Each structure stands twice: as C-alpha cells, then as structure tokens.
Amino acid sequence: MKYSTEKRMLWLSQVRSMPYRKRVELAAKGFGWLSTSPMDYKNTRALGASSF
C-alpha cells in the first residue's frame, strides 16, 4: 500500500543528526509532516532559525 505525501511523516529519530534546514529540505521531497521535539524546536529557534 502506498500512502500519499500528505499522510507520510519524517520522524525526528530518523534525521536527528541533520541540521534543521536539511531536515525541512528532505521532508519537502516526499513527506507531508516533519516531527520535532520541544527541545529541538527551542534549540533551533535559539540558533536564529524562523519559518522558511
């Protein structure tokens, strides 16, 4: 069974070692969702990342 892009999630545990921007780029290539954790979000924001 194939799932549509909107139903696919790229889990943080699969890409934790990648920089946030790279995760977003990878997710955009075939996933509708990208998971994150509160600490990951806080650290990403502290580095100056915003919505892109």
Side-chain angles (χ1 to χ4, degrees):
M1 174 186 271
K2 285 196 106 177
Y3 291 97
S4 66
T5 299
E6 297 83 27
K7 293 183 178 183
R8 297 180 68 202
M9 179 175 289
L10 180 60
W11 292 97
L12 176 61
S13 62
Q14 296 172 306
V15 293
R16 185 178 302 274
S17 64
M18 299 174 85
Y20 187 75
R21 183 174 290 274
K22 291 289 183 188
R23 295 180 207 172
V24 172
E25 291 170 358
L26 180 62
K29 293 181 180 180
F31 296 86
W33 300 89
L34 173 63
S35 72
T36 192
S37 69
M39 183 59 75
D40 189 48
Y41 174 80
K42 181 179 175 183
N43 290 341
T44 300
R45 294 289 297 185
L47 292 172
S50 61
S51 300
F52 40 97

